[in-house]
Amino acid sequence: MTDDTKVPERKLRHKEPRRAGADSAPLAIDRGSVAANASIDNPAWRIKRPPDRPWPFKAENVSPLQWWRTLPSDAFRDAEQILLLTTVERIGVLHGGDDLAAALAGDAAAAIGVAFSLMPIETATLTVDIAMTALCRCALARNAAAALVMAQVIGLTDLNHGLATELAASWYTRGLRYSSNPRKFSQAEAVLLTAFQERHRDGESA
């Protein structure tokens, strides 16, 4: 793994976690490829990466258990999804109880519950990576609520690479695309953006 694709294993911090539910989430964004052109309708996302700059992380250079915090949703093609599913199915849960086991089996509600139970995420532990990978698996299975929670957790966590907002935007876009009620889904925008902005202000004032 090259230096520019290493994912720090140390602190993943955020302050004052906001636990907006799946029906009271955030953001309204361009439905095109966020990773490809980083074009977001709402300027509050503040995505500044030039559209012609390639995404700095590649799936082959990062462990599948770290993909949730390094790859945007549109980077998960068939090959990546198959590998992610294979990785999840090979995980044996020694701790974490029935909820984590259900999450790994593809239960979206359990995966969402486990993800929220981890907040605020301060350290990228193996448990965190496993739980968020289980949630990622559900989001990739076109579960809009799981995608929304992916956006929320990622957007409220300091991933130590400065691309959390872009990653969050990509998962929000995916959730909106597959939501059975896009209008209600979009009503979450103000809540999520407010939480993201407060986290950024907290970080700047720390």
Side-chain angles (χ1 to χ4, degrees):
M1 187 182 302
T2 58
D3 290 341
D4 62 342
T5 58
K6 287 184 179 179
V7 183
E9 294 292 341
R10 52 187 189 281
K11 295 184 177 180
L12 304 180
R13 293 181 174 274
H14 78 76
K15 299 181 180 180
E16 301 295 331
R18 301 294 189 275
R19 299 192 180 189
D23 291 333
S24 61
L27 344 161
I29 57 191
D30 188 337
R31 302 187 186 202
S33 168
V34 174
N37 63 25
S39 176
I40 304 299
D41 288 338
N42 195 324
W45 283 101
R46 297 180 181 178
I47 292 179
K48 299 177 181 179
R49 185 173 60 89
D52 59 345
R53 181 178 300 174
W55 192 258
F57 302 108
K58 297 183 182 299
E60 60 266 28
N61 295 328
V62 182
S63 164
L65 290 178
Q66 297 176 350
W67 285 352
W68 72 271
R69 51 189 168 101
T70 54
L71 300 181
S73 65
D74 60 1
F76 289 84
R77 298 157 299 182
D78 289 345
E80 285 77 21
Q81 293 192 43
I82 290 172
L83 181 53
L84 186 75
L85 182 59
T86 300
T87 300
V88 169
E89 291 177 342
R90 289 178 177 173
I91 294 173
V93 181
L94 298 178
H95 304 285
D98 294 340
D99 287 343
L100 183 54
L104 289 169
D107 184 325
I112 289 170
V114 171
F116 277 141
S117 74
L118 297 172
M119 297 294 283
I121 296 174
E122 295 184 346
T123 303
T125 64
L126 180 59
T127 297
V128 167
D129 279 342
I130 289 174
M132 289 303 298
T133 298
L135 180 65
C136 181
R137 177 248 184 103
C138 295
L140 291 170
R142 301 187 179 184
N143 185 287
L148 181 62
V149 176
M150 282 284 292
Q152 184 174 343
V153 173
I154 290 171
L156 293 175
T157 301
D158 182 358
L159 300 177
N160 293 317
H161 55 49
L163 297 172
T165 300
E166 292 187 69
L167 289 177
S170 78
W171 289 105
Y172 178 83
T173 301
R174 183 177 181 86
L176 182 61
R177 182 182 303 128
Y178 295 114
S179 174
S180 60
N181 191 338
R183 181 177 179 182
K184 186 175 183 180
F185 195 93
S186 296
Q187 290 173 353
E189 177 178 13
V191 177
L192 197 53
L193 282 173
T194 296
F196 289 0
Q197 290 167 350
E198 289 181 359
R199 183 184 70 80
H200 284 300
R201 283 198 296 271
D202 288 343
E204 292 170 357
S205 61

